[in-house]
Every structure is written in C-alpha cells, then in structure tokens.
Amino acid sequence: MPVIDYKKKLEEQVRGIESKELHFPRFIMRGVAGDYATAYSDITEAPKHFYYMAYLTCLGSILADNVRLKTLLNVQPRLYTIFLGQTGRGRKSTPIAITIDFFKQAFDDFNLMHHANSGEGLGVFLEKSPRTLLVYDEFMGFVSKAIQKGNTLLGTVTTLFEKNQYQTATKEKQLLIENAYLSILAACTTDTWERCWHPDFTAIGLVNRLFLVCGGMEKLAPIPPVLEIGRWKNLLQNTRAVVKLAQKIHKYELTPESVRLYDQWYRNTLDHKSVHSVRLDAYALRLMLLLAIVDERYQIDTDIVQDVIQLVTWEHAVRQQLDPIDADNEQAKIELRIRRNLLLGPLTKRALQQKTGAHRSGTWLWHNALSGLLAHNEIAYNNKTKEYYILSNTEELR
Amino acid sequence: MKLNRYSETLKKIPAPGCGCHNFLLSVSNLGVIAGVTPEKLFDDIRQNIPKGNRRVSDREIQDAISKAFSDHNTGTFTPKPQPQPIVSDGRAAFNKIISQSYISSEADLWELSPIRLLDEPQSDPALLLRTLFDDTDFIFIGEPYDKGIIGDTIRPTQEWIEYFKASGRTKPHIIINPLTGDPAPKESGDGDTYRGNGNVAAYKYCLVEFDDLNREDQIKFWTTIQLPVVCLIDTGGKSIHGWIDVQKWAAISTSEQWQGEIEGNLYNRILKLLGVDKACSNPARLSRLPGHFREEKENYQRLLWLSKEGKPLCQ
C-alpha cells in the first residue's frame, strides 16, 4: 500500500481549493440545453449557466400544460427563475433577451408578458394566453408594484406557482381562469435583492418559490459575433425535436433505482428544518422533468436524479448566501453582511469593506458593526495574515 | 473481414432524420459480429453520426447496442456508471491551483529536478530508461504506427541503452509501461499485437497531458499538483508530458484495477475536470522519448524534471 495517500492529498487539494464559492455544477449542462448554453456563452460575456437556466425556464413554459411527472402530485416543468449578479457586470439581461428571442422564433405560441402591474392585469393576460412567461429585466419592478397597498400581484404570483386556477372579482368584472400556467424569468442585482424585500414577501413565502441563479461576467467579448447560422438552425431544430418528443411522452416516470436515490436524498440529506430548503423538493421534481426532456430521455433515471440533487444542493447554498437581509436597523444589516462574507473565507479589512459596501453605510457605522462583532466573539482578527475570519460557532447565524 | 465490413458501415450512417435510427441497429449488429466491445461500439457510432435535423441521444445509441448484444446472446450493454466529479467547476479549481505556484519557467523546473539534468538532450533516452525501468523490462520505442516486433521496436531496457550509445539514433515515441513480450489479442478483435493495453507486464506509470494549455500554466500546474510525478518531458512542441507513478496512487496489478483507479478515480473524477486529455488514460500510451530531435518543430524532445521515486514537485 502506498505510504503517502496521494488520492486523499489530491482530492483535498482540488476540493479545498473550491472552498465555499458558489460554482454552478457545470457538468450537469447536457443535452440540447447544454449545447445551446455552450453556443451562446462562447460568443458572449454572460456565464454559461445563465443561458442554461434561461433555456430551461422558457422550455418549461412551452411545455407547462403538456408534460407531467407520473405521480400523484401535479408536477409541471414551470420555473420562477431569478438571475442575480452585480450591476453592469452580471450580464443577466443578455441571456434573457437572447433566449426569449430564440424561443419566439422556434415556437409561434410562446407567450410573453413584460411586466405586470397588478394581479388583475396578469389575470386578464392569462385568460388570453394561459401559458405565459412573465419577464422582468429588473425584478425591482415587480417588487415595487407588489408592495403597494391593495395590489394583488404578490398573492397572484405566489398562488400560481403551484396552482393553475386564478379567480378575481372587481366591481366591473368577475374573472375566473381555470388553466393558467405561469413561469417567471427575471434579473436582479444582488444589491437590490438584499435591499428590496418587504416583510410581506417573506411572510407569504414568495422567496422560497423563486429559483435563484447567481453568477457574473466570465470573459470579455467587446463585440459578440452573430451565432453561425448553421449552428443556430441546428439548435432550433433540436429544440423543436425535444419539445415534440416530450409532448409525445407526456408523463415521465422515474425508474425504480432513481426513486430509491431520490428517496434517500429526501429522507436523509435534505434538511427539512432549514428555511432555505423550503420547496427545494418541489424544484427537484420540476427540474427532473426538464433535465430528462433536454437530454431526450424516455424516463427519469439515476443520472438525471443525481444531476438534479447537485443542482438543488447548489441552490440551497445560493439561498443561504443571498437570503434577503432581514434586519431592523442599518447596523444590524451591516453585521449580517459581514458575517455572510466571512462565512465564505477570511478577508482583509479592505476586501471586507468592498464586499459589504462600507462606503454606502458610512465609515462610522461600518466600524461600529465590525467592532460589535469582534467584541461579541462572532468574528476574530488574525494578526499574521491580517485577515478577519468567522468563529465557527456563529455559522448558525447565517 | 468482419471488422472491415463494420468499419465501412460506420461511414455510411445516414444523417438523423434520414433513416439514422434504423441504421444504428445494423451497425451495432455488425459491431457485435466483429467482436467490438460495447464501449468502443458506442464511441464509434457517436463519432460517425453526421449532422442532421435532430440530435441523436446517447440513450438511442445505447438501446441499439443493447438490442444487438441481446439478439446475439452476448448479454446487454449497460454503460458504466460515471463517477461523480469531486468539484463542480473544474476550470475554477484549476485556476486556483496554478495561482499557488511561484514557478513558471523551465529554468526553475530544472533547478527542482532531484536528478540533475546536466548533459545534452542526446543522453536523455538512456537516462530515462536507466532511472525508470528495470534492465530486463521489455520497452517499446518507435513511430506511432510501428508494429511491436521483439528485437526491433521492443527490446529489454539494457539493450536499448546500448543501442542508443552505439548508434546515437533515436525514435520519437516510447510506451510508458513495460510489456510482456508475448502476443495478446487486439481490443478490436482483429488479430494479435505485441504493444496493446493487453500486453502490459507491469502497471508502473500513467501519462498526463493537457489538450490546449499554454506552457507557463502547464509548468505552474506541475509545480503545485499533489501527484507522485517521476518525470516531465518537453515534447518539442507546446506540450509537457508528465509521467505519474501509479503504484504510489494505488496498488494496481490488473487491468480492472487500472480502469477503476486510474481511468475512473484519477482521470474521470479529478484530472479530466482540470482539463487533462482523457485520451491519455490507457496503460500502453505513447509518450515522447526525450533526446529525440523533432524535425518538424526543429526542437529536441527532452527531460525537464526526473526522479527515481514518484513525488510532487512542490514537496
């Protein structure tokens, strides 16, 4: 037997280096969605997984009324996807615009609604086009409307995540829609995301109905070229082909091995007590459908379930990291930001100031927050490396 | 004959949408008759499907192969489960690994070599053979498509050393592991060979090479990675070949152990994600023989780092 365990050493080196950064599980991006994401991320600055998730969201919207998982639950491939990234550098809107355009060209019945101002307005649109993708270039637009007193938008969107019925009554009109299939694709800056939340949102549970996808610019492409026409046509044809195949299959079944695998994850791994795990199981089932569709599978096998588990585990980490800041005053907000950033690894004072937006809060307040955390032994300072780090017993405070 | 028919049929696969689906079973049947392994059959079919108006899924090919095997009573084709990669973003992990290196030049690499490489490249073949193989090990040295012939392209280490000393002539490639010197069936089933994966006598080394990576980053990688390296060879082109001591990775004495530990755990789970060329993972892999002058590049293939015992360069 080897004296030095190189297997362990190499694994530790590669794993350790990955640290706690939020890297999308890239190896799951297969099939036609993977091809699409590769084609466009190669020529633009946006990350590949933004294209991948935009594609899945649009595909889910197209197939929302047609494809189901063979289970008692009414699992539909609809997603509420939010891209999060830094302002100007996240490259969030480009994948949304390109993917929407691609699907509009691929399918005549691909219905879009840009911005909804009220639940009633959305309802009227859904009456005409029951299968609709609601698109926001800036999710703040949704938030600002939804928090207005008397606006029913928040309740409508929340209800339509699981249900397909919508009913509203005004003095002028009674509206009842039996078959509404709503999907959402939106972009939001991380900064806005942290600040835009109103207690109503968390109370009604909209946050855990959203699938958050974080990322940012991965390379420079000053003038992105047009995608080669042959490749574009190929993608278009493949997309139409997978949609046809999915419509033909209609009900996707899990193989016995994949049922066992999912069962094991659901019972033993998924943290049912964590607030960040709420509805991850619902997303896992929806994503199983979508991943099977794009990979042209006839049923959901263990490969698909393993990929989905990787994806929702990543989503759990994203939710932990980007949970809207829920604090009563500015100092508490800064403290929370400092804790979250240090949970990813030690940082110098300068880096910590940059990552927590110290200039916006004001130096005096920021230093007070830092001193408070040091005084209460939540964080500590390493004199040798000149870095702040989190003390392990504060992990639960995330 | 059977193999020729199979190879010819492979080239005739119609484009998807023009009868490709039905043709898959025909090719699979011919492959089974020719004795092609299911894995090779799958790879051959995948590579030979022309572009068409739809994408042929992996499952569709697997189904055709399974049916062909089942019809010929040779069992069914169950693809090997893919090992779960240990990191989700290999590129990010690679970048972080190389960012830890403080070495990016060949001169520093040369300084690190446990065996000082003071002589001209012409003496490298003998030095490599003497350091890494036993005197009686049968070693293949030759052109990529040379047949394995005992006494010609396959000789014991000592005989090669004397040959190089006497003639001064070198050849471009060397198989990284010693061979048995006995014939073994080719993987394609078409006759016997003396230099295939089935002829490996002892599993000593595996080859690690990058597909497309600049030289500076390759050097940075080799000076930080925690692998038991025995030598680094400048190929005379853009690449650096690294030989890894597989016995320090795991005790390997059979081809099944090689497949599980080297192809599965080392390449598929880790190295492939970091950008290493997966095609290099077989035990009878050709590497560049140091000391050979590569005429098309006008450069010597030469040793950059050498150690009798496998160890990380950073140790």
Side-chain angles (χ1 to χ4, degrees):
Chain A
M1 281 300 288
V3 183
I4 303 169
D5 191 348
Y6 281 103
K7 212 183 297 180
K8 196 175 161 196
K9 278 183 96 173
L10 182 65
E11 279 194 16
E12 276 173 5
Q13 185 184 23
V14 179
R15 263 191 227 278
I17 274 164
E18 192 184 37
S19 75
K20 293 174 182 172
E21 286 179 31
L22 300 170
H23 293 300
F24 190 86
R26 282 174 171 262
F27 57 91
I28 71 158
M29 291 188 270
R30 292 198 304 256
V32 59
D35 294 345
Y36 172 85
T38 306
Y40 278 103
S41 64
D42 279 352
I43 55 171
T44 60
E45 293 178 338
K48 184 175 170 181
H49 62 279
F50 275 8
Y51 284 104
Y52 182 77
M53 289 307 302
Y55 186 98
L56 291 189
T57 310
C58 293
L59 186 74
S61 175
I62 278 284
L63 290 168
D65 56 345
N66 253 315
V67 175
R68 295 287 180 274
L69 195 69
K70 202 168 180 183
T71 157
L72 183 66
L73 302 170
N74 180 28
V75 179
Q76 302 163 6
R78 294 184 294 120
L79 305 179
Y80 283 9
T81 308
I82 312 289
F83 290 161
L84 294 169
Q86 285 184 355
T87 175
R89 276 183 271 169
R91 298 295 180 263
K92 308 171 292 292
S93 303
T94 316
I96 294 179
I98 289 176
T99 312
I100 286 173
D101 193 45
F102 178 83
F103 272 82
K104 271 201 294 197
Q105 306 216 34
F107 304 98
D108 293 335
D109 56 347
F110 182 59
N111 302 312
L112 287 174
M113 183 182 189
H114 289 277
H115 299 259
N117 287 335
S118 66
E120 292 78 10
L122 179 63
V124 171
F125 194 89
L126 285 169
E127 192 181 24
K128 259 198 308 187
S129 318
R131 212 178 48 205
T132 290
L133 177 68
L134 181 57
V135 181
Y136 284 93
D137 255 355
E138 180 43 74
F139 194 60
M140 186 66 186
F142 172 83
V143 176
S144 58
K145 288 288 171 194
I147 56 174
Q148 286 172 1
K149 207 171 179 184
N151 196 317
T152 54
L153 186 60
L154 180 62
T156 311
V157 167
T158 308
T159 309
L160 287 175
F161 179 74
E162 263 124 9
K163 296 190 174 168
N164 303 115
Q165 290 80 33
Y166 176 73
Q167 186 167 20
T168 181
T170 59
K171 61 181 178 184
E172 282 152 20
K173 192 180 175 187
Q174 285 276 340
L175 189 65
L176 172 67
I177 303 159
E178 288 293 345
N179 294 305
Y181 301 91
L182 183 70
S183 304
I184 295 178
L185 184 55
C188 186
T189 65
T190 38
D191 200 37
T192 310
W193 178 259
E194 283 181 353
R195 287 158 184 272
C196 69
W197 290 96
H198 190 269
D200 287 354
F201 278 72
T202 28
I204 202 168
L206 181 71
V207 185
N208 56 49
R209 285 173 170 87
L210 304 176
F211 194 86
L212 308 180
V213 183
C214 64
M217 187 165 70
E218 288 188 346
K219 60 176 183 300
L220 296 173
I223 305 175
V226 177
L227 190 67
E228 191 237 320
I229 189 78
R231 202 168 176 192
W232 181 82
K233 274 187 180 170
N234 214 7
L235 288 170
L236 205 71
Q237 282 166 348
N238 288 344
T239 303
R240 286 176 181 148
V242 293
V243 166
K244 256 188 198 167
L245 182 67
Q247 285 169 336
K248 209 167 140 190
I249 296 170
H250 179 55
K251 279 201 170 179
Y252 281 80
E253 201 172 348
L254 279 95
T255 62
E257 297 83 40
S258 54
V259 170
R260 267 196 295 279
L261 183 65
Y262 181 72
D263 188 82
Q264 202 179 13
W265 172 79
Y266 186 80
R267 288 176 196 277
N268 306 327
T269 313
L270 181 65
D271 181 2
H272 292 273
K273 287 178 188 163
S274 164
V275 289
H276 302 111
S277 300
V278 180
R279 288 199 173 79
L280 277 187
D281 52 333
Y283 265 112
L285 297 176
R286 291 177 183 212
L287 287 163
M288 272 181 212
L289 276 174
L290 286 166
L291 265 61
I293 293 166
V294 296
D295 214 19
E296 295 165 83
R297 311 268 174 142
Y298 290 84
Q299 52 185 356
I300 292 158
D301 56 24
T302 50
D303 285 353
I304 298 290
V305 175
Q306 270 171 355
D307 287 354
V308 165
I309 290 172
Q310 291 283 335
L311 188 50
V312 292
T313 306
W314 175 80
E315 177 63 12
H316 186 246
V318 173
R319 283 183 178 183
Q320 284 180 327
Q321 182 59 26
L322 297 167
D323 198 14
I325 285 180
D326 188 13
D328 288 339
N329 60 45
E330 190 58 31
Q331 180 161 338
K333 284 179 188 173
I334 300 167
E335 286 179 2
L336 203 53
R337 269 188 229 122
I338 292 174
R339 277 192 211 108
R340 280 186 188 176
N341 279 287
L342 291 182
L343 275 168
L344 294 178
L347 289 171
T348 60
K349 189 174 180 180
R350 178 83 190 115
L352 194 57
Q353 281 178 324
Q354 283 174 333
K355 283 180 182 279
T356 53
H359 63 284
R360 268 198 320 261
S361 321
T363 324
W364 182 82
L365 203 56
W366 190 87
H367 275 102
N368 269 0
L370 187 74
S371 310
L373 292 171
L374 282 166
H376 287 89
N377 291 327
E378 288 194 30
I379 64 169
Y381 182 69
N382 184 333
N383 279 320
K384 271 189 185 170
T385 59
K386 302 201 183 305
E387 285 174 330
Y388 290 91
Y389 60 97
I390 199 132
L391 293 172
S392 56
N393 60 355
T394 56
E395 290 229 0
E396 68 216 37
L397 293 167
R398 57 162 86 223
Chain B
M1 184 65 189
K2 286 172 185 170
L3 203 66
N4 284 347
R5 205 168 152 216
Y6 163 68
S7 308
E8 281 163 20
T9 317
L10 264 180
K11 289 172 197 153
K12 292 179 190 161
I13 299 178
C18 307
C20 175
H21 180 79
N22 294 336
F23 208 86
L24 292 182
L25 188 59
S26 312
V27 189
S28 302
N29 281 327
L30 288 170
V32 174
I33 293 165
V36 180
T37 60
E39 289 79 9
K40 185 164 182 339
L41 198 51
F42 181 87
D43 289 344
D44 285 349
I45 294 175
R46 170 55 75 209
Q47 281 163 17
N48 282 283
I49 294 176
K51 269 194 175 179
N53 59 12
R54 74 179 178 91
R55 187 180 164 276
V56 176
S57 70
D58 288 353
R59 180 49 58 99
E60 199 174 333
I61 303 171
Q62 284 163 11
D63 287 346
I65 296 173
S66 287
K67 179 147 179 30
F69 271 84
S70 132
D71 290 350
H72 290 81
N73 298 321
T74 43
T76 53
F77 168 46
T78 313
K80 276 184 231 155
Q82 291 293 311
Q84 279 294 310
I86 66 163
V87 288
S88 52
D89 191 339
R91 191 169 54 180
F94 177 83
N95 287 337
K96 290 268 175 86
I97 287 173
I98 64 168
S99 72
Q100 293 173 335
S101 174
Y102 57 94
I103 284 178
S104 58
S105 79
E106 283 176 23
D108 293 329
L109 206 57
W110 182 83
E111 282 287 342
L112 283 176
S113 179
I115 295 176
R116 301 295 281 178
L117 305 167
L118 300 169
D119 296 329
E120 291 299 307
Q122 288 89 328
S123 62
D124 282 357
L127 180 60
L128 178 94
L129 292 171
R130 214 171 26 238
T131 310
L132 301 184
F133 297 101
D134 295 334
D135 287 350
T136 52
D137 281 348
F138 277 106
I139 307 295
F140 171 91
I141 294 175
E143 298 282 344
Y145 297 105
D146 278 353
K147 281 190 174 173
I149 301 168
I150 306 292
D152 181 22
T153 52
I154 299 175
R155 304 179 191 205
T157 308
Q158 191 54 37
E159 206 177 307
W160 275 122
I161 293 172
E162 282 159 18
Y163 169 84
F164 292 131
K165 272 186 186 164
S167 70
R169 276 182 300 161
T170 53
K171 294 176 181 184
H173 291 94
I174 177 170
I175 287 183
I176 56 175
N177 283 305
L179 306 172
T180 57
D182 297 323
K186 285 184 183 174
E187 280 176 1
S188 61
D190 188 22
D192 287 346
T193 179
Y194 282 84
R195 48 160 290 194
N197 292 329
N199 302 93
V200 171
Y203 297 94
K204 288 189 170 182
Y205 310 113
C206 67
L207 179 70
V208 173
E209 180 193 5
F210 285 89
D211 273 339
D212 183 21
L213 188 67
N214 67 59
R215 208 172 172 78
E216 199 175 305
D217 285 351
Q218 288 184 64
I219 293 174
K220 283 181 178 174
F221 172 82
W222 285 114
T223 48
T224 33
I225 197 74
Q226 291 286 342
L227 275 172
V229 184
V230 288
C231 73
L232 296 179
I233 299 168
D234 177 352
T235 61
K238 288 185 286 184
S239 262
I240 292 174
H241 283 186
W243 291 23
I244 310 300
D245 185 343
V246 296
Q247 295 300 328
K248 289 218 164 175
W249 174 264
I252 294 168
S253 53
T254 63
S255 73
E256 288 73 30
Q257 285 170 340
W258 177 281
Q259 276 175 9
E261 287 294 343
I262 302 301
E263 289 182 8
N265 283 335
L266 180 59
Y267 279 85
N268 287 341
R269 280 189 74 224
I270 306 173
L271 294 182
K272 204 172 107 183
L273 299 170
L274 302 178
V276 167
D277 186 357
K278 163 78 173 48
C280 297
S281 63
N282 62 315
R285 192 76 200 164
L286 285 171
S287 179
R288 293 274 170 184
L289 179 72
H292 177 77
F293 186 74
R294 204 168 163 183
E295 282 178 7
E296 77 274 18
K297 303 274 181 191
E298 297 188 337
N299 264 331
Y300 268 103
Q301 298 172 182
R302 60 201 169 89
L303 282 169
L304 293 172
W305 189 92
L306 182 66
S307 166
K308 178 136 189 82
E309 185 199 7
K311 60 180 193 172
L313 273 71
C314 51
Q315 201 174 69

